[in-house]
Amino acid sequence: MNESWEGFAERMQRLNPLFELGRGMEVGELKPYLQTILMQVLLAIFYRELNDDEHRRKSDIKYIVEDTIKQMKLLADEKQIERITSGLLYSGKEEYSQPFEAYYYDEVRQSWETQVFRYVTMDDLYTNLELGQSIVYKLTDVAQEMIFMSREMAEEFSITIEQLYSIQLIKNGNFQKATRNLDHLISRVNRLMAKEYSFGQEMINNPKILIIEAEKQRADNRIEIEKQFEEEKNHFRTITSMIERTKRQNAEDDHIHRELVLLQEKIGHSRSLHDRFAKLVIQNISYEM
């Protein structure tokens, strides 16, 4: 088979949810902006989930939609806002709460298959239907994949967000995914460290650079920067303690134990890099002062 077909079905299953986002919604003049609005709504839910913010009910998502539209300097009536909110939670009528569907071609079976997916699902940690509570939503793996596809292009997430996401993955028992996410964190710290080192060398060789790049001068907010690094250190300690606790709880499971050992090694490497980065930043701030 031609190499262009290799992994084709898998590629399409990653792309279909993005292609289908907002498709078929009748929202009038908002139609050209719909995917952008919905992507921002997914990001808002994602960050709330990372920060253990349970304001992720349908009413909360409706408010996020409304606020997003305002932020984007667009206009929408109540009916449009309700339609966009419902259209993210399920396909078709609310009473059926159907998942979304999309076709993809499977190059191995040489047949068309149907992909069934959702963008959000019930968060069991925060929802108690027996007490008559409203559903608290969280992103599905499909929606998270969309966000991380965009993250790979935009490199938008901070060290803290990467750490919080790792904590969330460990809580949910996704140890392999947490290990892969630490690779993103290591890559992020390496890139930041390379930039910081280059800036430090340039500052020593040509102090006039401080006049040109005024935004790099961080002497005035050194305390805030040190506080941020301390917060990130605390996140690493939280992750380490979670891994140790999980290892004790799964001492008899060799497979989980191996995954946790690998995760622990990644954490050790990440912490070491982070400490070196923090020292480099503080050293450069001293030069600036």
Side-chain angles (χ1 to χ4, degrees):
M1 183 180 290
N2 189 303
E3 62 182 6
S4 67
W5 282 103
E6 187 175 341
F8 184 76
E10 185 180 343
R11 288 176 188 269
M12 290 310 302
Q13 286 179 82
R14 292 182 72 191
L15 290 171
N16 270 340
L18 188 57
F19 294 158
E20 294 294 318
L21 188 63
R23 188 175 176 183
M25 283 193 211
E26 295 300 328
V27 290
E29 65 278 5
L30 289 177
K31 185 69 174 176
Y33 314 106
L34 194 50
Q35 282 193 329
T36 306
I37 293 168
L38 288 170
M39 193 65 187
Q40 173 54 33
V41 173
L42 288 174
L43 277 164
I45 298 169
F46 176 74
Y47 278 104
R48 290 189 183 192
E49 186 181 341
L50 285 184
N51 289 290
D52 288 326
D53 184 344
E54 63 183 69
H55 292 91
R56 290 175 270 126
R57 296 172 176 81
K58 184 180 177 181
S59 58
D60 300 314
I61 295 173
K62 184 177 176 181
Y63 174 77
I64 294 171
V65 171
E66 185 176 5
D67 186 59
T68 299
I69 291 170
K70 286 180 182 176
Q71 285 284 328
M72 292 179 175
K73 295 180 170 51
L74 298 169
L75 296 174
D77 58 30
E78 183 67 22
K79 186 177 178 182
Q80 289 170 313
I81 292 168
E82 179 66 36
R83 179 67 187 96
I84 293 170
T85 304
S86 300
L88 185 66
L89 303 183
Y90 35 74
S91 175
K93 295 181 179 179
E94 182 175 1
E95 57 265 31
Y96 300 124
S97 190
Q98 293 176 322
F100 299 88
E101 293 185 356
Y103 295 113
Y104 67 94
Y105 185 75
D106 190 313
E107 77 281 3
V108 177
R109 297 178 182 176
Q110 296 190 0
S111 62
W112 284 93
E113 306 292 337
T114 302
Q115 179 184 0
V116 180
F117 60 91
R118 292 184 184 273
Y119 297 103
V120 295
T121 187
M122 185 173 72
D123 190 335
D124 296 324
L125 291 175
Y126 291 93
T127 306
N128 192 330
L129 296 178
E130 292 178 1
L131 296 178
Q133 295 179 350
S134 302
I135 295 174
V136 176
Y137 291 96
K138 66 177 181 178
L139 298 194
T140 61
D141 288 345
V142 163
Q144 286 186 4
E145 175 72 18
M146 287 166 55
I147 285 175
F148 280 91
M149 283 167 64
S150 70
R151 189 267 305 270
E152 288 165 9
M153 292 183 283
E155 296 179 358
E156 64 181 84
F157 290 167
S158 68
I159 292 170
T160 305
I161 292 299
E162 297 285 9
Q163 290 172 316
L164 289 172
Y165 185 58
S166 293
I167 289 171
Q168 193 74 22
L169 290 171
I170 294 168
K171 276 183 185 176
N172 295 337
N174 294 329
F175 307 126
Q176 285 186 340
K177 204 166 184 179
T179 303
R180 289 198 302 272
N181 189 64
L182 285 167
D183 287 332
H184 288 296
L185 176 56
I186 289 168
S187 175
R188 175 82 176 147
V189 175
N190 275 329
R191 286 195 299 272
L192 289 171
M193 202 151 53
K195 287 180 182 178
E196 197 67 35
Y197 179 78
S198 296
F199 178 65
Q201 291 299 112
E202 202 167 0
M203 191 165 43
I204 293 169
N205 297 328
N206 179 23
K208 290 181 181 178
I209 192 75
L210 290 174
I211 299 171
I212 300 167
E213 296 197 24
E215 73 276 3
K216 279 283 187 180
Q217 296 179 48
R218 300 154 297 188
D220 290 341
N221 62 345
R222 176 172 179 166
I223 293 173
E224 285 78 7
I225 290 171
E226 289 178 339
K227 185 178 177 183
Q228 179 187 328
F229 281 134
E230 187 57 37
E231 181 186 342
E232 289 166 357
K233 277 179 131 179
N234 288 335
H235 286 326
F236 277 127
R237 282 193 282 268
T238 299
I239 294 171
T240 301
S241 64
M242 286 176 69
I243 293 171
E244 288 294 344
R245 187 166 60 250
T246 309
K247 280 172 75 175
R248 289 194 296 270
Q249 292 170 350
N250 297 274
E252 305 299 319
D253 192 319
D254 290 340
H255 176 68
I256 290 179
H257 185 78
R258 283 194 299 271
E259 286 187 358
L260 290 170
V261 167
L262 181 59
L263 185 56
Q264 206 165 23
E265 289 173 357
K266 290 279 185 185
I267 280 293
H269 183 45
S270 302
R271 288 183 72 162
S272 175
L273 280 176
H274 180 269
D275 289 346
R276 284 166 55 194
F277 173 56
K279 288 176 184 175
L280 187 57
V281 170
I282 301 304
Q283 177 181 292
N284 279 349
I285 289 174
S286 298
Y287 286 147
E288 290 176 52
M289 292 174 70

